[in-house]
Amino acid sequence: MKLSYEFSTKEFPEIKEVGGKALSLITMTKMGFNVPRGMVLTVDFFSDWLNELKSLRGINDYWQDESKFKPLADTLKSHADSLLFTEKQKSLVLAYLSNYESEQLFAIRSSSPEEDLAGASFAGGYETILGSNRETIFDDIKKAFISCLDERVFFYKSQNEFDTSLIRIAVVIQTQIASDMSGVGFSLNPLNNCYDEVVINANSGLGESVVSGMVTPDEWIIDKIDKKILDYNKGSKKKAIVLDQNGGTRIISGDSDATVLSDDQVLELTDLIDHVEKSFGFPVDIEWAYSDNELYLLQSRPITTYVPIPEVMQTEPHEKRILYLDGSLVKQGITSPISILGGDCIEVMQNVMFGDLMGKDVTSNPKYGMATTMGGRMYMNISTTAKLQGLDRMVNSWKMVDETTANMLEELDTDAYVPEKLPEFMKGALWGAVKNNMTSMKATMKAMKKPQDYKDWYQPFEDEFDKYLKEYTFHGSVKEIAYETSMAYMALLKKMLPFTYAAEFSRKKLSKQLNKYFDDGSDRMQLLERSLPDNVTIDMGMAMYELSQYKEVRDNDYSTFKAMTWSDEFTAKWQAYLATYGCRTHNELDIAVKRAYEDIDQLFNQIKAMSTIDDAFSPVTVYNQSQKLRKETYDDLIAKMNDSAGKKLNKSYEALVLLGGKREALKYWWIRTLDVVRKAILDQGNNLVQQGKLTDINDIFWFHLEDLDQLESMEKEAVDEHIIKNKRYFDKLSQVHHFPKMIDSRGKILSAKKTEVKEGEVAGQPISPGVVKGRIKVLKTPDEKPLLPGEIMVTSATDPGWTPLFINASAILLEVGGLLQHGALVAREYGKPCIAGIEGVMSTFKDGQLVEVDATRGIVKLLEVGYEEKS
């Protein structure tokens, strides 16, 4: 049992002995960095104290209950105050001090085995005591130890899924540097995620004034590749912290006019930060200090909150950068990482789809193709696509999907991101697209000319595909099944796409006609798009409501619901719902996500929540009222137009009504196709569990499609190693709380320009008109917490799994989305005010805040802070 290590030890302690901070200091000392010498008192040094605390009575039930973390912490800290050092503990510390008689002051820092890991930083969670002297050092060691018992540490552990009952701490004793200037440095730019930029913050005196946020420090942004200072911002630096030679620290007035570092020192620091990053092999932030013109490295931690991109998508620092758009976020509303196997299945569909539509492979090359799915996201290559089809055309195509994205593309630095020539990989793609889409465009013209005839011609193909999926039998590998079913879907898609094209062309013609003849043409257009038939998502919402009105749902909770005997009528309706919509769920494009028919408890609760909705506000009533209003609006328009104009309007309107609702079917049938592949995957996973190869059936989603055939012949140890290896990248993704819309091949995140608004207001894209006042409810997932009637739903993006929540919402605020996004469609259908494209909406608003949503202008005005803030 090792009780201590000096930084200069020849041994290689484990993190479980010394904690993340101490291990980093020992490692950096071994690497030859100028680290002030010191030692670490290991976890075993404090084992008797920890055992005594764990044996306290009356706290056994407190460890996992967040509501009891405060009394737990108070009890533990109160008892810890009375803990005494043993003679063995004292002698070990005194022996260390006797070896360094020249040092009089020390920095005492806590070092947890969970701290400063690649997945969790515990930043600010533990205690640091600066300027500790030989008289106070034992009291200061105990203070550092007690900080591991703080309530905030228990909460952090709980939220990051650490075992809160496992208390472990080590304590660092390090020579205190009397800093002339100090601060922090980041090996990537935390402001924009750029991997090639270093950011340095500095103040005079000790770095605690910078780390604690006491002052606004001087800040430099440096190109670490070309060693150029890109930007400098002088901080206010009104205060500084310096050492008191008798022990401890004191605060003095700062020099706001002074520049803390010279350019040479900035570049020296840049070299140090770059060296530390390369030595560890991952992005770091460091604490540093200058004393008597000598540069010291005080600490290094992994940066845990940056956005990674796969190495195969990265360019070298001096190469022309490639710009990627996160289609999983902007088009599909997926805010969490897509599983490895889920990404592969999407990639299969993309390969089949793009290959068929463009006549060649345009997706297998992640750098130079049009799209790729990897690293937990679906990326569109903006650089290649802009060169292929032209930036202006791309901007116009995105205006209906997400106006913020379109605006960002309009502002794009084409010299930085659009190649001079189309990549060799893409040669022939444009001609292939034209050639392969001739048939589709001819069909679109037919659909616009005779929409009912096209609809009648198409329907048997959809019915046949429905039958194909229901009767599909597994044969061959999962990869073969994925390709086979994707090709069958593609055959249907080519017949279905003219619906979308014809409906969109008709919608644009209708909008143009209305704006020509009426001042309020845009408002009338909104009404003409309501309650279009054949919208599978709206039909699903109405089917859920219909089920909620049966006594089996209305009068029972889930436990009695599943135990009771259902009526024949309800049984038929329930089974029909599962057969038609049971595969739909939140984040449904990820094949690893449970389908609704696999999670009946959750599905029941969603349907049950609709049972109390007043019939006047039900989705069925809203649909029927909107349909009536649409027809009345159309009749009123026709009555006010001359015969010639009325005929043109009638033609566009007829095509929109007959074809427009089918747009949602594109994704519906894709999800139905994926569900067949999911069943094949789970079938293999179940076999592997029975063979003892997998511990959990869901572990199969940590593998790639091409790996699945090998699993049968692999030993359990090899399977487990494979899972650990494949999880590493996703451990990084777990710390990404918000994926950016656009990121380039050197990690730089592009942001939209801020819209000019008044104080207390935020702006976005008007989606569905109306003005309401209400309380905010911020939701990361549709099942996170209840959305009460009249509350304003705030989230990043939505998919069909969110549909039931639209009924209670009085308005919807989205970070991403446009006129053709799922959220926009459902909001307009239900007549709910909706604004999309509100940057940072999830952090801008808090539960309980009272706001006014003017979705006609796209403005949200804060009227009153939330309940918590008021108190």
Side-chain angles (χ1 to χ4, degrees):
M1 189 168 70
K2 191 81 172 177
L3 301 185
S4 69
Y5 290 96
E6 292 201 39
F7 293 174
S8 57
T9 179
K10 303 297 183 189
E11 299 178 71
F12 293 89
E14 297 183 61
I15 193 169
K16 66 181 181 181
E17 295 179 273
V18 298
K21 188 179 282 107
L23 184 60
S24 177
L25 290 165
I26 292 169
T27 303
M28 291 187 300
T29 301
K30 289 179 183 292
M31 290 175 173
F33 290 106
N34 190 20
V35 178
R37 59 184 180 175
M39 71 177 299
V40 55
L41 306 175
T42 68
V43 171
D44 284 334
F45 180 94
F46 300 101
S47 60
D48 290 342
W49 286 7
L50 294 170
N51 291 335
E52 185 173 334
L53 291 171
K54 287 297 295 280
S55 66
L56 291 175
R57 293 184 178 181
I59 60 172
N60 290 341
D61 298 331
Y62 285 21
W63 298 99
Q64 309 301 331
D65 186 345
E66 289 190 356
S67 68
K68 295 181 179 178
F69 283 170
K70 188 178 190 310
L72 173 65
D74 290 345
T75 301
L76 293 172
K77 288 161 79 172
S78 175
H79 189 82
D81 279 334
S82 63
L83 295 171
L84 300 174
F85 287 90
T86 65
E87 289 302 317
K88 187 175 183 179
Q89 287 173 317
K90 286 181 180 178
S91 63
L92 192 151
V93 174
L94 292 172
Y96 166 77
L97 296 177
S98 67
N99 290 333
Y100 301 108
E101 292 183 356
S102 60
E103 281 93 344
Q104 296 302 315
L105 297 177
F106 303 90
I108 311 298
R109 307 178 191 275
S110 305
S111 180
S112 165
E114 294 96 357
E115 185 181 20
D116 294 344
L117 303 177
S121 68
F122 279 75
Y126 296 113
E127 190 74 29
T128 293
I129 299 99
L130 302 177
S132 177
N133 59 36
R134 292 170 185 266
E135 287 71 36
T136 64
I137 197 164
F138 284 102
D139 288 338
D140 293 334
I141 291 170
K142 184 187 283 190
K143 285 180 187 175
F145 167 81
I146 289 176
S147 70
C148 80
L149 310 174
D150 197 273
E151 177 187 6
R152 60 186 171 179
V153 174
F154 289 123
F155 271 109
Y156 188 93
K157 284 184 174 183
S158 176
Q159 290 161 9
N160 286 274
E161 298 182 355
F162 291 106
D163 184 353
T164 51
S165 66
L166 183 60
I167 307 176
R168 297 181 298 175
I169 199 71
V171 172
V172 169
I173 304 173
Q174 187 175 21
T175 299
Q176 177 72 67
I177 299 298
S179 311
D180 300 315
M181 65 278 290
S182 54
V184 297
F186 303 85
S187 68
L188 59 73
N189 189 334
L191 304 174
N192 65 10
N193 204 66
C194 183
Y195 304 159
D196 295 338
E197 293 175 4
V198 160
V199 176
I200 295 169
N201 289 174
N203 191 22
S204 57
L206 302 177
E208 185 65 16
S209 66
V210 177
V211 175
S212 67
M214 176 188 291
V215 299
T216 302
D218 283 357
E219 180 178 85
W220 289 263
I221 300 176
I222 309 99
D223 183 331
K224 69 182 178 187
I225 308 302
D226 294 330
K227 300 297 187 292
K228 290 181 181 178
I229 296 174
L230 301 175
D231 195 16
Y232 165 65
N233 292 298
K234 183 178 286 188
S236 58
K237 308 184 298 292
K238 293 181 179 180
K239 298 176 183 179
I241 300 175
V242 297
L243 287 174
D244 188 323
Q245 292 307 310
N246 295 320
T249 60
R250 56 192 176 90
I251 298 174
I252 63 171
S253 297
D255 187 350
S256 299
D257 295 326
T259 299
V260 176
L261 298 171
S262 68
D263 287 357
D264 287 343
Q265 288 172 322
V266 169
L267 295 178
E268 182 184 19
L269 261 169
T270 299
D271 284 338
L272 173 64
I273 294 165
D274 192 27
H275 188 186
V276 175
E277 179 184 56
K278 288 175 179 175
S279 298
F280 279 101
F282 48 72
V284 297
D285 73 74
I286 71 165
E287 293 182 30
W288 54 270
Y290 274 103
S291 181
D292 293 330
N293 291 319
E294 185 174 358
L295 176 58
Y296 292 90
L297 178 58
L298 305 182
Q299 198 175 140
S300 174
R301 293 176 291 262
I303 296 176
T304 60
T305 55
Y306 77 104
V307 181
I309 56 173
E311 286 188 19
V312 294
M313 292 173 58
Q314 297 180 29
T315 49
E316 294 299 318
H318 286 107
E319 279 187 87
K320 192 179 188 79
R321 295 188 182 191
I322 298 167
L323 184 63
Y324 302 104
L325 182 140
D326 188 340
S328 44
L329 175 67
V330 179
K331 277 196 168 185
Q332 304 298 340
I334 301 174
T335 55
S336 55
I338 300 169
S339 67
I340 290 176
L341 197 47
D344 280 6
C345 290
I346 293 172
E347 187 82 0
V348 166
M349 185 66 79
Q350 286 181 329
N351 288 343
V352 170
M353 192 181 303
F354 277 98
D356 195 292
L357 295 176
M358 307 198 73
K360 66 168 291 181
D361 171 20
V362 294
T363 60
S364 63
N365 189 317
K367 279 187 184 178
Y368 303 116
M370 289 186 68
T372 187
T373 300
M374 58 173 54
R377 311 305 294 161
M378 298 168 63
Y379 290 107
M380 176 182 178
N381 189 316
I382 293 293
S383 299
T384 294
T385 308
K387 188 63 182 178
L388 179 72
Q389 68 180 57
L391 187 60
D392 290 343
R393 189 173 297 167
M394 182 187 290
V395 169
N396 288 331
S397 67
W398 275 96
K399 283 189 181 296
M400 297 300 293
V401 180
D402 182 51
E403 191 170 342
T404 307
T405 298
N407 293 339
M408 291 169 69
L409 289 170
E410 278 186 313
E411 299 159 2
L412 187 66
D413 181 356
T414 53
D415 290 338
Y417 291 114
V418 180
E420 294 180 7
K421 296 180 180 180
L422 193 67
E424 284 293 327
F425 178 77
M426 291 294 297
K427 291 292 176 66
L430 189 58
W431 168 242
V434 173
K435 178 183 173 184
N436 284 33
N437 282 277
M438 291 290 288
T439 303
S440 181
M441 292 314 297
K442 288 178 181 177
T444 300
M445 295 302 107
K446 288 182 180 179
M448 291 181 68
K449 190 174 182 179
K450 295 183 177 181
Q452 186 63 59
D453 287 353
Y454 190 87
K455 189 175 183 180
D456 293 341
W457 171 82
Y458 162 81
Q459 191 58 46
F461 295 102
E462 188 173 283
D463 296 340
E464 186 63 31
F465 187 64
D466 181 37
K467 182 180 178 183
Y468 165 81
L469 293 178
K470 288 176 177 175
E471 297 177 356
Y472 187 87
T473 54
F474 302 147
H475 50 273
S477 68
V478 171
K479 187 173 183 179
E480 290 170 336
I481 292 170
Y483 270 102
E484 184 178 293
T485 53
S486 293
M487 287 188 285
Y489 168 77
M490 189 63 212
L492 179 69
L493 180 67
K494 286 197 292 185
K495 297 175 179 66
M496 199 189 316
L497 280 174
F499 270 97
T500 302
Y501 297 153
E504 180 56 20
F505 291 148
S506 299
R507 194 198 69 80
K508 286 183 177 179
K509 286 179 68 175
L510 188 57
S511 179
K512 189 175 180 179
Q513 289 164 344
L514 291 177
N515 287 326
K516 179 180 178 180
Y517 289 99
F518 302 97
D519 292 336
D520 59 347
S522 296
D523 293 339
R524 290 174 181 260
M525 186 65 207
Q526 290 274 359
L527 298 175
L528 292 183
E529 290 183 280
R530 295 267 179 91
S531 293
L532 299 178
D534 303 317
N535 186 314
V536 67
T537 303
I538 300 304
D539 290 346
M540 181 180 76
M542 291 194 289
M544 294 178 80
Y545 176 75
E546 184 180 6
L547 286 172
S548 76
Q549 299 307 296
Y550 282 86
K551 61 182 178 58
E552 284 88 344
V553 174
R554 188 183 61 243
D555 300 338
N556 294 281
D557 59 20
Y558 181 64
S559 60
T560 55
F561 169 77
K562 65 180 180 179
M564 69 184 299
T565 300
W566 302 339
S567 68
D568 291 343
E569 183 181 352
F570 177 80
T571 300
K573 291 283 186 181
W574 181 260
Q575 290 175 347
Y577 180 89
L578 293 182
T580 307
Y581 306 111
C583 60
R584 310 228 65 177
T585 188
H586 177 48
N587 286 347
E588 59 192 2
L589 270 184
D590 186 355
I591 209 162
V593 176
K594 269 187 175 183
R595 310 290 111 170
Y597 66 78
E598 298 173 293
D599 194 4
I600 299 297
D601 188 352
Q602 176 65 26
L603 175 62
F604 173 85
N605 289 333
Q606 285 184 324
I607 295 173
K608 173 78 173 179
M610 293 183 171
S611 64
T612 57
I613 296 173
D614 190 292
D615 182 62
F617 301 101
S618 78
V620 175
T621 302
V622 170
Y623 179 86
N624 291 333
Q625 289 175 343
S626 295
Q627 187 179 60
K628 181 182 177 184
L629 183 58
R630 169 167 58 78
K631 292 177 179 177
E632 289 174 350
T633 302
Y634 170 74
D635 291 339
D636 181 59
L637 290 169
I638 289 295
K640 293 178 179 178
M641 302 178 78
N642 59 46
D643 289 345
S644 175
K647 287 180 180 179
K648 290 180 181 179
L649 183 134
N650 175 69
K651 190 173 182 181
S652 299
Y653 174 74
E654 181 186 13
L656 178 64
V657 171
L658 287 170
L659 307 177
K662 273 292 185 182
R663 183 183 177 277
E664 287 283 285
L666 295 169
K667 188 176 181 183
Y668 170 76
W669 289 110
W670 186 2
I671 300 305
R672 287 279 303 272
T673 304
L674 282 175
D675 189 48
V676 170
V677 183
R678 174 176 168 83
K679 288 173 180 174
I681 292 168
L682 292 177
D683 186 59
Q684 182 176 359
N686 186 54
N687 290 336
L688 291 166
V689 170
Q690 291 179 357
Q691 295 170 29
K693 301 288 180 70
L694 291 180
T695 304
D696 185 328
I697 191 173
N698 291 305
D699 283 342
I700 196 168
F701 295 106
W702 288 110
F703 292 87
H704 287 284
L705 270 175
E706 59 264 25
D707 298 330
L708 296 184
D709 289 341
Q710 327 249 331
L711 289 178
E712 304 284 347
S713 59
M714 291 171 65
E715 297 295 326
K716 176 73 163 59
E717 293 75 14
V719 172
D720 289 342
E721 287 175 11
H722 211 83
I723 292 172
I724 292 170
K725 177 186 174 184
N726 286 350
K727 276 185 175 181
R728 284 175 188 151
Y729 185 86
F730 281 75
D731 287 341
K732 299 177 186 178
L733 292 181
S734 68
Q735 293 299 307
V736 180
H737 302 300
H738 185 83
F739 287 99
K741 291 182 179 181
M742 292 189 195
I743 188 169
D744 74 17
S745 53
R746 295 304 301 160
K748 184 176 180 179
I749 293 171
L750 276 66
S751 300
K753 289 183 179 178
K754 295 289 184 183
T755 305
E756 292 292 330
V757 291
K758 297 177 183 178
E759 185 177 352
E761 294 182 347
V762 297
Q765 179 188 7
I767 295 295
S768 180
V771 179
V772 298
K773 292 180 182 178
R775 298 280 178 185
I776 290 289
K777 180 64 69 67
V778 181
L779 295 166
K780 294 178 183 176
T781 62
D783 56 354
E784 179 185 4
K785 50 196 168 187
L787 182 74
L788 303 178
E791 290 185 319
I792 293 171
M793 184 172 80
V794 175
T795 191
S796 292
T798 66
D799 59 22
W802 290 79
T803 300
L805 279 72
F806 280 75
I807 297 167
N808 277 348
S810 62
I812 298 94
L813 305 179
L814 304 171
E815 183 147 14
V816 298
L819 291 170
L820 297 182
Q821 271 276 19
H822 167 269
L825 186 149
V826 179
R828 289 199 301 271
E829 191 66 37
Y830 288 161
K832 302 296 176 80
C834 178
I835 303 175
I838 305 174
E839 287 289 313
V841 71
M842 297 289 283
S843 55
T844 299
F845 296 109
K846 296 180 181 178
D847 284 0
Q849 288 178 324
L850 182 66
V851 300
E852 179 183 80
V853 176
D854 183 346
T856 304
R857 296 190 303 132
I859 297 292
V860 185
K861 184 177 181 180
L862 180 63
L863 302 177
E864 181 186 308
V865 296
Y867 303 125
E868 294 179 3
E869 289 78 3
K870 285 195 292 184
S871 59

